[in-house]
Amino acid sequence: MKVIFSFLAIILAISCSQTTKPTLLDKANFETTVDGKAVSLYTLEAGDLVMQVTNYGARVVSLWTPDRNGNYADVEIGYENIDRYINNTGERYLGAVVGPVANRIANGKFSLDGKEYTLPQNNNGQTLHGGTLGVDRIVWEVVSCTDNEIVFSTLLPDGQDGFPANRTIKMVYRLTENNEFVVEYEATTDAKTVLNLSHHSFFNLEGDGAGTILDHILTINSKAITPVNEFLIPTGEIMCVKDTPFDFNEPHAIGERVNADHPQLKAGAGYDHNWIIDREDNGEVLKVADVYSPKSGRGMEVLTDQVALQFYCGNFFDGSYNNKFGKPIAYRGAIALETQRYPDAPNQPSFPSVVLEPGQVYKHTCIYKFYAK
């Protein structure tokens, strides 16, 4: 009898110690042709991370990482096939690169050397993330792909979405043994233009479809934000965050103050603002933010060489459409932390410039570093 009990104890211990592993999406569900260019799905792996990416909009489709017990979950909000990205009826920017000028441009207009440029007004009379095509609705060329790295490139022709100049962009997604998802951008132009690229992954550190991110604990190294009007366009002012719900210099749960009676929270329907990072604009890659899920033990540091961070907490998800697992994407069910320069910079002379001239090289590094504790 003692032997039987010992055997049962061993079986129970083995079954309880088993951990969940990544489940890959079917590559065939992402193979198609858009504008005569082949679209596919690519799988990268390094350290504890497994990521799948499509070259349509250079979108991260899934990103698996373990919790404190070694159980994997997909922390990237996404869809299960390419059709849902192309013929989108929900959130357009899931997992995508955004630009050529990320964030909003007021009234879809800006001037450069006295010439006014008119852009598509695709968001309440404003231009959001580049306009109709942007860089998220194009097929990126895959220059190379290894086990842990994919290199993309594209040429944005003069006049696309109203922006001037032929712009050549190279972008790298790399996973490292230190559990980092590294995004590197490099761009040049043949004429004076504006450029401010960013990455728009939506994360839930409890897993895609696991509910809200309101219990996630956030830290941002910032003393100020750029306040916005009712169209989420910066007013041009700088607002100190001290003694406001926007102060994340010390860790706070996202849901702790998101519904506070503050005019900027009303303007953004919650957090959807640009934090000015407390740093010099010297190109050094520094840690600027950290988000942690007490429930799963998963955390994510954000490191960058950029001077600003857009923090958005999923205020416009409404549960009316499902994720890749058939679960509703919940209201405030994901967080986006987008490293960049300031929104509407082409129209704000006091903001750091986003002008790129011939002979200059645009460079930008963003790192999402995952951990568990």
Side-chain angles (χ1 to χ4, degrees):
M1 183 67 70
K2 187 180 293 185
V3 172
I4 294 174
F5 280 136
S6 297
F7 178 73
L8 290 174
I10 292 170
I11 296 298
L12 182 61
I14 292 173
S15 64
C16 289
S17 66
Q18 290 178 340
T19 55
T20 57
K21 297 296 182 182
T23 302
L24 296 183
L25 294 166
D26 189 345
K27 182 178 179 179
N29 292 335
F30 287 82
E31 293 182 327
T32 189
T33 301
V34 177
D35 296 329
K37 299 178 181 179
V39 175
S40 191
L41 186 69
Y42 304 83
T43 301
L44 309 180
E45 185 172 359
D48 295 325
L49 304 180
V50 179
M51 186 169 78
Q52 291 186 285
V53 180
T54 175
N55 59 321
Y56 178 70
R59 297 169 185 276
V60 178
V61 174
S62 67
L63 202 168
W64 293 81
T65 186
D67 66 7
R68 63 166 66 92
N69 298 315
N71 291 300
Y72 275 80
D74 181 359
V75 299
E76 179 86 30
I77 311 301
Y79 300 136
E80 72 279 10
N81 61 59
I82 194 63
D83 181 68
R84 294 193 65 198
Y85 289 103
I86 295 172
N87 301 304
N88 187 273
T89 57
E91 169 59 50
R92 168 178 166 179
Y93 302 104
L94 291 182
V97 57
V98 289
V101 176
N103 221 305
R104 290 172 175 84
I105 295 177
N107 302 310
K109 297 179 184 295
F110 71 94
S111 294
L112 200 58
D113 290 343
K115 180 178 180 180
E116 185 174 82
Y117 294 88
T118 300
L119 317 173
Q121 297 178 348
N122 62 322
N123 183 257
N124 296 322
Q126 323 305 309
T127 298
L128 176 62
H129 294 324
T132 304
L133 276 178
V135 290
D136 65 293
R137 282 181 168 169
I138 64 172
V139 179
W140 287 69
E141 178 187 351
V142 177
V143 177
S144 64
C145 186
T146 65
D147 290 344
N148 72 309
E149 178 184 280
I150 187 166
V151 179
F152 298 103
S153 72
T154 194
L155 172 64
L156 301 182
D158 180 30
Q160 178 175 305
D161 284 320
F163 289 95
N166 296 295
R167 295 138 292 162
T168 301
I169 304 172
K170 175 185 174 183
M171 185 172 63
V172 179
Y173 289 173
R174 181 187 308 113
L175 300 184
T176 76
E177 293 299 321
N178 294 322
N179 297 324
E180 296 168 324
F181 167 31
V182 181
V183 185
E184 294 174 337
Y185 312 83
E186 187 173 292
T188 57
T189 182
D190 68 351
K192 195 171 184 179
T193 190
V194 288
L195 195 73
N196 181 26
L197 300 167
S198 191
H199 183 75
H200 213 309
S201 275
F202 285 88
F203 299 107
N204 185 319
L205 296 178
E206 293 169 13
D208 186 359
T212 77
I213 44 79
L214 296 178
D215 65 340
H216 285 32
I217 297 172
L218 180 65
T219 309
I220 303 177
N221 181 23
S222 170
K223 294 184 176 68
I225 66 167
T226 50
V228 296
N229 63 21
E230 68 272 25
F231 299 109
L232 297 177
I233 295 294
T235 62
E237 302 166 293
I238 304 297
M239 187 191 94
C240 178
V241 299
K242 186 177 180 181
D243 299 324
T244 78
F246 292 84
D247 189 349
F248 284 92
N249 283 283
E250 296 297 325
H252 287 276
I254 293 170
E256 179 183 339
R257 302 168 298 172
V258 69
N259 294 316
D261 185 14
H262 191 283
Q264 280 301 300
L265 289 174
K266 293 178 181 177
Y271 295 117
D272 190 5
H273 295 76
N274 171 60
W275 270 254
I276 299 171
I277 300 303
D278 188 15
R279 59 162 303 157
E280 294 182 23
D281 190 7
N282 59 5
E284 186 179 0
V285 176
L286 300 172
K287 178 181 174 180
V288 300
D290 184 284
V291 61
Y292 175 73
S293 163
K295 183 176 179 181
S296 69
R298 293 186 188 90
M300 185 182 76
E301 299 177 357
V302 182
L303 303 91
T304 189
D305 54 4
Q306 298 296 290
V307 295
L309 179 75
Q310 183 81 11
F311 159 42
Y312 170 59
C313 69
N315 304 311
F316 301 111
F317 292 128
D318 60 7
S320 64
Y321 51 96
N322 293 340
N323 67 3
K324 67 176 80 78
F325 303 117
K327 297 179 180 180
I329 303 176
Y331 173 58
R332 293 177 175 161
I335 178 174
L337 295 167
E338 307 155 61
T339 63
Q340 57 190 260
R341 298 183 88 78
Y342 299 8
D344 197 34
N347 292 313
Q348 304 273 359
S350 64
F351 287 180
S353 175
V354 295
V355 172
L356 183 67
E357 304 208 34
Q360 295 179 330
V361 179
Y362 169 91
K363 291 188 176 182
H364 174 175
T365 297
C366 171
I367 302 173
Y368 299 108
K369 184 174 182 178
F370 294 88
Y371 64 88
K373 65 179 183 179

